Amino acid sequence: MQDKYIVNTDISVKNVIEKMEKNLIKAVVIVNDDNKVEGLFSNGDMRRFFLSGGNLSANISDAMNKNPRLYHSEDEVKEERKIQNRVIYPIIDNEGHLVDVLDFDNADSNGYINDSLANVPLVIMAGGKGTRLYPYTKILPKPLIPIGDYTITERIIESFRKYGCQNVKMILNYRSNMIKAYMSDLEKDYEIEFYDEDEFLGTAGGLRLLKDKINSTFFLSNCDILVNADLECIYKTHKMKGNKITFVCSMKDVVIPYGVVETDEDGMITEMQEKPGFSYLINTGLYMIEPEVINDIKEGEFIHLPELAQRYLDQGQKVGVFPISEKAWMDMGQFNEMEKMMKNLGI
């Protein structure tokens, strides 16, 4: 039995997520001091916990599934897998002690996971000037900034190729000819098309260029981010919820480095907290979008994606969130963030 799948009940949600990311696993088993199973915590449990307002500093017992499916033998697991697949399979003895954890990972040796996104287009917004990365972007447009041996654009596309994505579209403006020349010259096993904005139209306005070019649900990504998440699950969740737009958001834990005092209207102290922590969902710049959204953008309209989403919310339409962990999102929009990205990628 591998310890990477096991955590104790006295650990925080944040520490559990960090352990899962470090070991590249999708779930852990929570046990007490006697090694009896108390629950299970998966990526799905993580999403449900934070969508319900959970905090990263909370104890894992507040977020775990307290009634997970447990097994008493490998034969029982084999029978279960004929019916459905689960992320992990905890095996216990007759007293409830954890004996083993089985994990059937479907990723192959090349890191390719499946072809579930073979028919799902990827749109990359690459029209900005990247002023926060000046003077780098005085020479190179942001989509061609190298992250190690590959440009950020190549790394974004590769993360989608692992799920079989074959159709990439780039919306360009600043130094578009340089981007086209570089990307067209690459040896690649996917199709790529380029669309030029006459002027920068925000993070959503350029989508109008794709009118009648996309007729299915698609991903939209900024050109300066990497998201290491289950893209297939994002797609399925978006479709299941019936959202017009789904924001992929990173959980951010903020700790106030001071004691915080709350008072009533008479100036009397009602509560004191020492260095309290708060959890927020941060927009990563990755979205799942329905094709009719393109038709709802006016020709030549300057609009950012959050503004477009607010328009739908005001109409009573569904705009959702798919939460991911903080470390699953890497941003290179600023120099310090670019350095963090390279460090996280081992560059």
Side-chain angles (χ1 to χ4, degrees), residues 10-11 70 108 140 142 152 204 221 223 242 256 286 305 341:
D10 61 0
I11 196 170
L70 304 174
D108 64 28
L140 287 174
K142 186 164 59 174
I152 181 63
S221 175
C223 69
I256 306 299
L286 178 64
L305 212 297
M341 176 184 284

Side-chain angles (χ1 to χ4, degrees), residues 39-54:
L40 186 143
F41 184 77
S42 67
N43 286 333
D45 297 316
M46 176 189 73
R47 290 190 293 274
R48 284 186 286 273
F49 180 64
F50 282 98
L51 288 175
S52 65

Side-chain angles (χ1 to χ4, degrees), residues 105-113:
D105 191 344
N106 63 350
D108 64 28
S109 59
N110 294 318
Y112 285 82
I113 299 168

Side-chain angles (χ1 to χ4, degrees), residues 95-106:
E95 284 75 42
H97 299 100
L98 186 64
V99 175
D100 199 0
V101 179
L102 301 183
D103 182 2
F104 301 91
D105 191 344
N106 63 350

Side-chain angles (χ1 to χ4, degrees), residues 3 7 42 98 140 151 159 245 293 308 338:
D3 290 340
V7 297
S42 67
L98 186 64
L140 287 174
T151 64
S159 67
I245 301 173
V293 169
L308 183 60
M338 185 167 66

Side-chain angles (χ1 to χ4, degrees), residues 169-173 193-197 209-210 213:
K169 302 180 188 298
M170 295 187 71
I171 297 176
L172 309 175
N173 183 291
E193 298 174 336
F194 306 100
Y195 298 84
D196 288 298
E197 292 178 314
L209 295 170
L210 302 179
K213 307 294 183 182

Side-chain angles (χ1 to χ4, degrees), residues 260-272:
V260 174
V261 175
E262 295 185 11
T263 67
D264 61 20
E265 59 185 14
D266 295 322
M268 298 293 103
I269 293 176
T270 58
E271 185 177 358
M272 293 184 288

